[in-house]
Amino acid sequence: MSCSSATPARKRYERRVLTLMLVYLPTIFLTGRFVRHHALQGWLLYFWSILPAIPVIALIAMMGRYLQEETDEYQRVLTVRALLVATAALLGTLVVDDFLRSFASTAIPPFIGFTIFWLSFAIAIGVQTLRDRAAIHD
Amino acid sequence: MTNRLRILRAERSWSQQDLADRLEVSRQSVNAIETGKYDPSLPLAFRIARLFALPIESIFSDS
């Protein structure tokens, strides 16, 4: 294993995420153009609306693949803990959104749930890494 | 669970990174085990024991 803190599985995961982002960006751009400039209806509208979700869903699948490939069990535990924190934050957001819809006839803006999920994940990973760094003894 | 990993490592003048490389885990993992933040799985505990040529119970104890 190299001296870098990232494990080989983590490096592969990061490469895959980067590739997916390179697919996602033109997809969201094309979708925006098609939906705005063409009066799409029916299955074509559904197709273009759902298209950008595919690389995002693949992102979640890549996380699953990373967890399968990661041979460093502690890194796996850190990732699973962060995923639990992110899932809790997402569920909390969805519950708030549901009550807002039910009683206030309003809703949280689109994509907030997804943003909150990955933001919470990143914060949880960061906090654990800082905590471990503070405790390093050599 | 407590362990003697840091002592055993120091006896061999290994850094955490040296031990991590030998165990094929990250330095963060070695640090977490040494500081008692993380208890290794049985397979990893066996790998550690084999590396130091010691029985598991002489490295890890549940006291």
Side-chain angles (χ1 to χ4, degrees):
Chain A
M1 182 175 274
S2 71
C3 289
S4 163
S5 59
T7 63
R10 175 62 67 94
K11 285 177 187 164
R12 282 197 297 276
Y13 165 73
E14 286 168 356
R15 272 200 303 272
R16 287 173 194 143
V17 168
L18 192 67
T19 308
L20 279 173
M21 285 300 101
L22 291 176
V23 173
Y24 174 72
L25 291 175
T27 308
I28 192 78
F29 175 75
L30 282 174
T31 300
R33 272 184 75 90
F34 261 80
V35 172
R36 272 194 211 102
H37 299 294
H38 298 83
L40 298 177
Q41 283 188 330
W43 70 268
L44 257 179
L45 179 61
Y46 285 114
F47 171 79
W48 281 103
S49 301
I50 291 169
L51 195 64
I54 296 170
V56 175
I57 292 167
L59 200 67
I60 299 162
M62 286 307 110
M63 177 57 78
R65 191 169 170 190
Y66 162 68
L67 285 173
Q68 273 187 327
E69 290 181 352
E70 182 56 82
T71 53
D72 188 322
E73 60 187 51
Y74 182 62
Q75 295 299 324
R76 229 172 21 229
V77 166
L78 293 184
T79 306
V80 170
R81 274 187 204 153
L83 283 172
L84 284 173
V85 169
T87 305
L90 174 63
L91 286 176
T93 307
L94 293 178
V95 166
V96 169
D97 187 51
D98 281 345
F99 280 109
L100 282 174
R101 282 171 194 270
S102 299
F103 299 117
S105 297
T106 185
I108 290 173
F111 306 113
I112 290 290
F114 189 76
T115 308
I116 284 180
F117 180 85
W118 288 111
L119 197 63
S120 311
F121 177 79
I123 290 170
I125 287 283
V127 166
Q128 292 181 103
T129 305
L130 284 176
R131 195 199 57 190
D132 282 349
R133 227 173 253 168
I136 281 183
H137 302 284
D138 212 347
Chain B
M1 200 161 76
T2 58
N3 67 75
R4 294 174 53 231
L5 211 54
R6 191 180 302 164
I7 298 162
L8 294 168
R9 182 170 62 78
E11 283 171 0
R12 288 155 183 79
S13 305
W14 291 347
S15 66
Q16 283 188 337
Q17 187 64 56
D18 292 334
L19 180 56
D21 289 344
R22 283 173 166 85
L23 292 170
E24 295 184 330
V25 297
S26 61
R27 175 182 162 148
Q28 208 178 355
S29 305
V30 169
N31 184 65
I33 296 168
E34 281 189 359
T35 53
K37 282 201 176 84
Y38 176 69
D39 293 331
S41 68
L42 207 49
L44 181 53
F46 270 113
R47 273 201 340 252
I48 293 168
R50 264 199 302 273
L51 180 67
F52 289 111
L54 290 167
I56 284 181
E57 61 268 27
S58 71
I59 302 173
F60 299 96
S61 67
D62 57 359
S63 58

Coordinates of all heavy atoms in Angstrom, one line a residue, chain B residues 8-37:
Chain B
L8 N 4.6 -3.3 20.9 CA 5.2 -4.3 20.0 C 5.8 -3.6 18.8 O 6.9 -4.0 18.3 CB 4.2 -5.3 19.5 CG 3.6 -6.3 20.6 CD1 2.4 -7.0 20.1 CD2 4.7 -7.2 21.1
R9 N 5.1 -2.6 18.3 CA 5.6 -1.8 17.2 C 6.9 -1.1 17.6 O 7.9 -1.1 16.8 CB 4.5 -0.8 16.7 CG 4.8 0.0 15.5 CD 3.6 0.7 15.1 NE 3.1 1.7 16.0 CZ 3.6 2.9 16.3 NH1 4.6 3.3 15.7 NH2 3.0 3.7 17.2
A10 N 6.9 -0.4 18.7 CA 8.0 0.3 19.2 C 9.3 -0.6 19.4 O 10.4 -0.2 19.1 CB 7.7 1.0 20.5
E11 N 9.0 -1.8 19.9 CA 10.2 -2.8 20.1 C 10.9 -3.0 18.7 O 12.0 -3.4 18.7 CB 9.6 -4.1 20.6 CG 9.3 -4.0 22.1 CD 8.6 -5.2 22.6 OE1 8.3 -6.2 21.8 OE2 8.2 -5.3 23.8
R12 N 10.1 -3.0 17.7 CA 10.7 -3.2 16.3 C 11.1 -2.0 15.6 O 11.5 -2.0 14.4 CB 9.7 -4.0 15.5 CG 9.6 -5.5 16.0 CD 8.3 -6.1 15.6 NE 8.1 -7.5 16.2 CZ 7.8 -7.8 17.4 NH1 7.6 -6.8 18.3 NH2 7.7 -9.0 17.8
S13 N 10.9 -0.8 16.3 CA 11.2 0.5 15.7 C 10.4 0.7 14.4 O 10.9 1.3 13.4 CB 12.7 0.7 15.4 OG 13.4 0.5 16.6
W14 N 9.2 0.3 14.4 CA 8.3 0.5 13.2 C 7.5 1.7 13.4 O 7.0 1.9 14.5 CB 7.4 -0.7 13.0 CG 8.1 -2.0 12.5 CD1 9.3 -2.1 12.1 CD2 7.5 -3.3 12.5 NE1 9.6 -3.5 11.8 CE2 8.4 -4.2 12.0 CE3 6.2 -3.8 12.9 CZ2 8.2 -5.6 11.9 CZ3 6.0 -5.1 12.7 CH2 7.0 -6.0 12.2
S15 N 7.3 2.4 12.4 CA 6.3 3.5 12.5 C 4.9 3.0 12.2 O 4.8 1.8 11.8 CB 6.6 4.6 11.4 OG 6.4 4.0 10.1
Q16 N 3.9 3.8 12.5 CA 2.5 3.3 12.2 C 2.4 2.9 10.7 O 1.7 2.0 10.4 CB 1.5 4.4 12.6 CG 1.3 4.5 14.1 CD 0.1 5.4 14.4 OE1 -0.2 6.3 13.6 NE2 -0.4 5.2 15.6
Q17 N 3.1 3.7 9.9 CA 3.0 3.5 8.4 C 3.6 2.1 8.1 O 3.1 1.4 7.2 CB 3.6 4.6 7.6 CG 3.4 4.5 6.1 CD 1.9 4.6 5.7 OE1 1.3 5.6 6.1 NE2 1.4 3.6 5.0
D18 N 4.8 1.8 8.7 CA 5.5 0.6 8.5 C 4.5 -0.6 8.8 O 4.4 -1.5 8.0 CB 6.7 0.4 9.4 CG 7.8 1.4 9.0 OD1 7.8 1.8 7.8 OD2 8.6 1.8 9.8
L19 N 3.9 -0.5 10.0 CA 3.0 -1.6 10.4 C 1.8 -1.7 9.5 O 1.4 -2.7 9.1 CB 2.5 -1.3 11.9 CG 1.6 -2.4 12.4 CD1 2.1 -3.8 12.4 CD2 1.2 -2.0 13.9
A20 N 1.3 -0.5 9.1 CA 0.1 -0.5 8.2 C 0.5 -1.1 6.8 O -0.3 -1.9 6.3 CB -0.3 1.0 7.9
D21 N 1.7 -0.8 6.3 CA 2.1 -1.5 5.1 C 2.2 -3.0 5.2 O 1.8 -3.7 4.3 CB 3.5 -0.9 4.6 CG 3.4 0.5 4.2 OD1 2.3 1.0 3.9 OD2 4.4 1.2 4.1
R22 N 2.7 -3.4 6.4 CA 2.9 -4.9 6.6 C 1.5 -5.6 6.7 O 1.4 -6.7 6.3 CB 3.7 -5.1 7.8 CG 5.2 -4.9 7.6 CD 6.0 -5.0 8.9 NE 7.4 -5.1 8.7 CZ 8.2 -4.1 8.5 NH1 7.8 -2.9 8.5 NH2 9.5 -4.3 8.2
L23 N 0.6 -4.9 7.2 CA -0.8 -5.4 7.4 C -1.7 -5.2 6.2 O -2.8 -5.7 6.2 CB -1.4 -4.9 8.7 CG -0.8 -5.2 10.0 CD1 -1.4 -4.4 11.2 CD2 -1.0 -6.7 10.3
E24 N -1.2 -4.4 5.3 CA -2.0 -3.9 4.1 C -3.3 -3.2 4.5 O -4.4 -3.6 4.1 CB -2.3 -5.1 3.2 CG -1.0 -5.7 2.6 CD -1.2 -6.8 1.6 OE1 -2.2 -7.5 1.8 OE2 -0.4 -7.0 0.7
V25 N -3.1 -2.3 5.5 CA -4.3 -1.5 5.9 C -3.7 0.0 5.9 O -2.6 0.2 5.7 CB -4.8 -1.8 7.3 CG1 -5.4 -3.2 7.3 CG2 -3.8 -1.7 8.4
S26 N -4.6 0.9 6.2 CA -4.2 2.3 6.2 C -3.6 2.6 7.6 O -3.8 2.0 8.6 CB -5.4 3.2 6.0 OG -6.3 3.1 7.0
R27 N -2.8 3.7 7.6 CA -2.2 4.2 8.8 C -3.3 4.6 9.8 O -3.1 4.4 11.0 CB -1.2 5.3 8.5 CG -0.7 6.0 9.8 CD 0.2 7.2 9.4 NE 0.4 8.0 10.6 CZ 1.4 8.7 10.8 NH1 2.4 8.7 10.0 NH2 1.5 9.4 11.9
Q28 N -4.3 5.1 9.3 CA -5.5 5.5 10.1 C -6.0 4.3 10.9 O -6.4 4.4 12.0 CB -6.5 6.1 9.2 CG -7.5 7.1 9.8 CD -8.4 7.7 8.7 OE1 -8.4 7.3 7.6 NE2 -9.4 8.5 9.2
S29 N -6.0 3.2 10.2 CA -6.6 1.9 10.9 C -5.7 1.5 12.0 O -6.2 1.2 13.1 CB -6.6 0.8 9.8 OG -7.4 1.2 8.7
V30 N -4.3 1.5 11.8 CA -3.4 1.2 12.8 C -3.6 2.1 14.0 O -3.6 1.6 15.2 CB -1.9 1.2 12.3 CG1 -0.9 1.1 13.4 CG2 -1.7 0.1 11.3
N31 N -3.7 3.4 13.7 CA -3.8 4.4 14.8 C -5.1 4.1 15.6 O -5.1 4.2 16.8 CB -3.8 5.8 14.2 CG -3.9 6.8 15.3 OD1 -3.0 7.0 16.1 ND2 -5.0 7.5 15.3
A32 N -6.2 3.8 14.9 CA -7.5 3.6 15.5 C -7.4 2.3 16.4 O -8.0 2.3 17.5 CB -8.6 3.4 14.5
I33 N -6.7 1.3 16.0 CA -6.6 0.1 16.8 C -5.7 0.4 18.0 O -6.1 0.0 19.2 CB -6.0 -1.1 16.0 CG1 -7.0 -1.4 14.8 CG2 -5.7 -2.3 16.8 CD1 -6.4 -2.4 13.8
E34 N -4.6 1.1 17.8 CA -3.6 1.4 18.9 C -4.3 2.2 20.0 O -4.1 2.0 21.2 CB -2.4 2.1 18.4 CG -1.4 1.2 17.7 CD -0.1 1.9 17.4 OE1 0.0 3.2 17.7 OE2 0.8 1.3 16.9
T35 N -5.1 3.2 19.6 CA -5.7 4.1 20.5 C -7.0 3.5 21.1 O -7.7 4.2 21.9 CB -6.0 5.5 19.9 OG1 -6.7 5.3 18.7 CG2 -4.7 6.2 19.6
G36 N -7.4 2.3 20.7 CA -8.5 1.6 21.3 C -9.9 2.2 20.7 O -10.9 1.8 21.2
K37 N -9.8 2.9 19.7 CA -11.0 3.5 19.1 C -11.7 2.4 18.2 O -12.9 2.5 17.9 CB -10.7 4.7 18.1 CG -10.4 6.0 18.9 CD -10.6 7.1 17.9 CE -10.4 8.4 18.6 NZ -9.0 8.9 18.7

